[in-house]
């Protein structure tokens, strides 16, 4: 193990070598740095002002993230949120040649995590606490004030089940990250069909978006971020609703592959193989459809996976496992939420399954899987 003294000595020796051998052009040095892991880049910020400026440059960070995605598979984060000082430690789980699951502890009063991650950032929230955007790789975080709906629920003691779900994504044109609340209004005594709130970085305040969605949403689903937009399923799962994070406009992009599901919590949206997907788990069969947009304005759903759950063990039982990723085109990675807290690998076209991880839920914790967490952003 390298001590802090050893780390300083390593940097001093590196500086001496650089003073003699630093003859490479700046663009070549940047290409080399882009291929380094995040923790190495954070250490190398101390080498020189030039390197520090390079590593902190947003365009460099974007290139580093792209390079990392292309060079290996995604990492996955099993995140435990706690409000005490107990630290949870667990060895990483290697899924295949390059994919790894990390289990980390993050101290926060928040109890929920937005589905997925965006450029390595995760968004934590709670109906009465606030919103926190964090980078688990660097431990950087930023807090945001309470949204109007959080103020309302806290001040009046309003309890709605399911509680409003937060979405988090990035405006592709200006690079701004935006937390977004979209919720059905009738549960809060409001007249409009839905209410939408977006956090404005410029004013450091939440603001309403008008008009909001003309359709009520499936309140049990977490919104998912994909390619500059957030997506929801509308109530009764009849439509797929998108919210462009740049124009801040809602649009129904297509019909969903399923409709009139008895249990709205059995349906969810996810991103698999870089495509928007819809999953249904009726306790007997797990079905996943992928949205094919190759036809331009014509969008079609293709069945991606169908798994017979009656031949599985009890971990496919009471609480539906959520699709996380398809690995090596042959394996489906599934993760549990609050009531299951486990990680399962299913081999496609077989009845072979493996429980990779099962967590004993500590008091005050919430676990979920996030992908691509080891980016350098912020």
């Amino acid at each position: 193990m390298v001590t802090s003294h050893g780390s300083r000595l390593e940097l001093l020796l590196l500086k001496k070598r650089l003073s003699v051998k630093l003859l490479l052009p700046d663009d070549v040095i940047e290409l080399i740095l882009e291929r380094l892991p995040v923790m190495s880049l954070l250490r190398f910020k101390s080498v020189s002002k030039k390197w520090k400026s390079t590593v902190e440059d947003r365009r460099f960070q974007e290139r580093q993230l792209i390079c990392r995605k292309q060079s290996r598979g995604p990492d996955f984060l099993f995140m435990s949120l706690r409000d005490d000082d107990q630290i949870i430690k667990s060895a990483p789980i290697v899924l295949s040649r390059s994919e790894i699951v990390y289990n980390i502890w993050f101290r926060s009063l928040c109890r929920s995590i937005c589905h997925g991650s965006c450029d390595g950032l995760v968004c934590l929230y709670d109906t009465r606490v606030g919103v926190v955007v964090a980078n688990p790789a660097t431990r950087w975080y930023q807090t945001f004030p309470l949204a109007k709906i959080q103020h309302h629920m806290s001040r009046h003691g309003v309890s709605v089940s399911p509680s409003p779900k937060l979405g988090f994504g990035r405006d592709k044109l200006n690079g701004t990250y935006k937390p977004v609340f979209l919720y059905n209004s009738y549960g809060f005594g409001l007249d409009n069909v839905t209410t939408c709130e977006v956090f404005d970085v410029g004013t450091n305040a939440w603001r309403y978006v008008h008009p909001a969605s003309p359709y009520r949403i499936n309140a049990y689903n977490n919104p998912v971020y994909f390619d500059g937009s957030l997506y929801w399923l509308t109530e009764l799962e009849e439509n797929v609703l998108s919210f462009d994070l740049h124009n801040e406009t809602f649009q129904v992009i297509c019909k969903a592959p399923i409709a009139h599901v008895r249990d709205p919590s059995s349906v969810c949206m996810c991103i698999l193989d870089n495509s928007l997907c819809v999953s249904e788990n009726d306790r007997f069969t797990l079905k996943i459809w992928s949205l094919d947009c190759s036809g331009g304005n014509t969008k079609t759903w293709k069945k991606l996976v169908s798994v017979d759950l009656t031949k599985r063990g009890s971990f496919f039982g009471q609480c539906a496992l959520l699709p996380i990723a398809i690995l090596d085109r042959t394996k489906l990675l599934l993760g549990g939420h609050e009531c299951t807290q486990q990680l399962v690998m299913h081999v496609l076209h077989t009845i072979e399954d493996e429980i990779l991880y099962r967590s004993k839920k500590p008091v005050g914790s919430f676990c979920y899987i996030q992908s691509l967490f080891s980016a350098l952003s912020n």
Side-chain angles (χ1 to χ4, degrees):
M1 182 175 71
V2 179
T3 64
S4 58
H5 174 72
S7 299
R8 289 195 296 270
L9 181 60
E10 179 187 23
L11 289 174
L12 287 174
L13 292 173
L14 180 59
K15 287 181 179 180
K16 288 184 177 180
R17 290 197 298 269
L18 287 172
S19 64
V20 178
K21 299 182 179 180
L22 193 56
L23 302 176
L24 294 175
D26 289 344
D27 57 343
V28 175
I29 293 175
E30 288 193 18
L31 287 174
I32 296 172
L33 293 176
E34 287 172 8
R35 285 156 176 77
L36 295 179
V38 172
M39 300 315 296
S40 297
L41 291 172
L42 294 177
R43 291 197 303 270
F44 290 164
K45 287 169 62 176
S46 303
V47 171
S48 67
K49 292 181 179 179
K50 173 64 177 177
W51 282 30
K52 183 176 185 294
S53 175
T54 297
V55 172
E56 292 178 350
D57 181 71
R58 178 180 290 275
R59 288 175 296 180
F60 171 83
Q61 294 178 2
E62 291 175 349
R63 294 197 302 271
Q64 185 267 346
L65 179 60
I66 293 172
C67 181
R68 195 206 155 282
K69 288 180 180 179
Q70 294 174 342
S71 63
R72 53 169 292 176
D75 291 334
F76 301 94
L77 177 67
F78 201 96
M79 197 166 186
S80 299
L81 304 180
R82 302 181 60 87
D83 56 6
D84 56 31
D85 291 322
Q86 180 181 350
I87 298 177
I88 301 169
K89 293 183 179 180
S90 179
I93 303 169
V94 180
L95 299 180
S96 61
R97 291 189 302 271
S98 59
E99 292 87 0
I100 299 175
V101 175
Y102 296 91
N103 181 25
I104 76 162
W105 164 85
F106 195 91
R107 185 169 186 178
S108 174
L109 293 175
C110 298
R111 289 293 176 268
S112 299
I113 305 178
C114 291
H115 181 88
S117 65
C118 180
D119 296 346
L121 302 178
V122 295
C123 190
L124 323 174
Y125 68 102
D126 192 272
T127 53
R128 292 177 174 84
V129 174
V131 176
V132 178
V133 174
N135 187 332
T138 64
R139 293 289 175 164
W140 170 93
Y141 70 93
Q142 181 176 346
T143 60
F144 298 102
L146 288 171
K148 300 178 189 302
I149 185 61
Q150 293 172 306
H151 269 300
H152 178 77
M153 295 181 71
S154 178
R155 185 183 304 116
H156 299 287
V158 176
S159 179
V160 176
S161 181
S163 59
K165 304 290 192 297
L166 182 68
F168 178 68
R170 178 174 178 258
D171 180 336
K172 288 180 60 179
L173 294 185
N174 61 27
T176 303
Y177 295 96
K178 295 183 178 181
V180 178
F181 270 115
L182 177 66
Y183 46 94
N184 297 325
S185 301
Y186 66 87
F188 303 97
L190 303 174
D191 295 331
N192 47 331
V193 177
T194 63
T195 302
C196 179
E197 295 183 49
V198 173
F199 183 79
D200 192 319
V201 177
T203 62
N204 195 40
W206 292 83
R207 56 179 169 78
Y208 290 119
V209 173
H210 300 288
S213 167
Y215 300 93
R216 292 198 303 206
I217 59 170
N218 181 339
Y220 290 89
N221 286 178
N222 287 291
V224 299
Y225 170 76
F226 181 66
D227 196 28
S229 296
L230 288 168
Y231 293 87
W232 293 260
L233 288 171
T234 60
E235 206 167 57
L236 303 180
E237 292 77 47
E238 292 184 346
N239 297 304
V240 176
L241 178 72
S242 73
F243 178 66
D244 187 304
L245 289 170
H246 179 69
N247 298 325
E248 297 190 354
T249 54
F250 287 94
Q251 179 184 4
V252 170
I253 62 168
C254 64
K255 290 283 186 180
I258 49 180
H260 305 294
V261 177
R262 292 183 179 180
D263 180 7
S265 65
S266 68
V267 181
C268 71
M269 301 190 73
C270 56
I271 307 298
L272 297 175
D273 274 359
N274 201 35
S275 296
L276 188 65
C277 298
V278 171
S279 168
E280 180 188 13
N281 185 335
D282 62 5
R283 307 294 190 266
F284 299 102
T285 307
L286 171 66
K287 292 169 284 189
I288 303 174
W289 293 266
S290 173
L291 185 61
D292 183 2
C293 301
S294 60
N297 294 330
T298 303
K299 298 177 175 61
T300 57
W301 292 97
K302 295 183 178 180
K303 184 172 286 188
L304 193 64
V305 174
S306 182
V307 181
D308 184 355
L309 302 183
T310 60
K311 299 178 181 179
R312 261 75 196 167
S314 60
F315 49 81
F316 280 104
Q318 297 301 316
C319 293
L321 295 176
L322 308 177
I324 300 169
I326 293 179
L327 307 177
D328 298 331
R329 300 184 180 276
T330 59
K331 299 174 182 177
L332 175 64
L333 184 65
L334 300 151
H337 40 64
E338 298 103 315
C339 51
T340 52
Q341 297 197 43
Q342 53 193 357
L343 190 64
V344 176
M345 182 77 81
H346 164 66
V347 180
L348 298 176
H349 313 301
T350 72
I351 59 172
E352 181 182 344
D353 302 302
E354 179 185 1
I355 299 180
L356 301 175
Y357 181 91
R358 176 175 283 156
S359 171
K360 293 182 179 179
K361 183 178 180 182
V363 176
S365 76
F366 175 88
C367 295
Y368 204 77
I369 297 291
Q370 309 290 339
S371 63
L372 289 172
F373 87 95
S374 58
L376 190 64
S377 302
N378 297 297

